[in-house]
Amino acid sequence: MDVTSFGIDHNILLRGIYVSRKDTVENGTLTTFDIRMKEPNREMVMDTAVMHTIEHLMATFFRSHPLWAERTIYVGPMGCRTGMYAIFKGDLESNDVAVIIKECYDYMSQFSGELPASKAEMCGNYLDHNLEITKIECKKFVDEVLSCLKKENMIYPRQEK
Ligand SMILES: [Zn+2]
């Protein structure tokens, strides 16, 4: 199965959870997910402060999760600011992570208190955060996408050759 994201047409890509790529490493497979929060080239992107706050909260959620901490290799923002990447151990499909990613976005949309790792000594740009807008963006993604995922929110549209 060809899983590279190179051939997808971003102009018709919707919001959702997509398998971006799979990499074979020594003893198994790593799956990179494209967690797409904005329709590329059609919707306003998130600002960098929101992307940064999501990065801190998403990393905290997965790295402290009793089951998923061990499976989580990386989470981070897309440079285009339309979504996040998450890399997990295992040969996975979107259905395998749909529940945990919705839990993560519920956690972020309801987060209160001090943002994790937001002290100057723990972050490269500690003033560049926006928790309130992050919560709004995460709730919107849950309500409009994650709570009603369809096939087209989990399978990439293929580029016409
Ligand atoms: Zn930071």
Side-chain angles (χ1 to χ4, degrees), residues 57-84:
L57 289 175
M58 190 178 276
T60 299
F61 176 86
F62 279 107
R63 299 214 180 278
S64 58
H65 192 278
L67 236 62
W68 284 84
E70 182 273 329
R71 302 176 187 171
T72 303
I73 303 297
Y74 169 82
V75 301
M78 292 180 183
C80 58
R81 293 187 274 135
T82 63
M84 302 291 292

Side-chain angles (χ1 to χ4, degrees), residues 88-105:
F88 300 115
K89 282 185 205 167
D91 186 345
L92 302 171
E93 301 301 331
S94 297
N95 265 326
D96 300 319
V97 299
V99 169
I100 192 66
I101 287 176
K102 181 175 176 295
E103 278 177 32
C104 176
Y105 275 83

Side-chain angles (χ1 to χ4, degrees), residues 29 36 50 53 55-56 67 80 84 87 114 120 123 140:
T29 303
R36 192 69 64 156
V50 170
T53 300
E55 180 191 34
H56 278 232
L67 236 62
C80 58
M84 302 291 292
I87 306 176
E114 189 183 328
C123 175
K140 180 176 155 70

Side-chain angles (χ1 to χ4, degrees), residues 116-128:
S118 60
K119 294 273 197 297
E121 61 269 28
M122 301 168 80
C123 175
N125 191 358
Y126 79 107
L127 294 175
D128 193 30

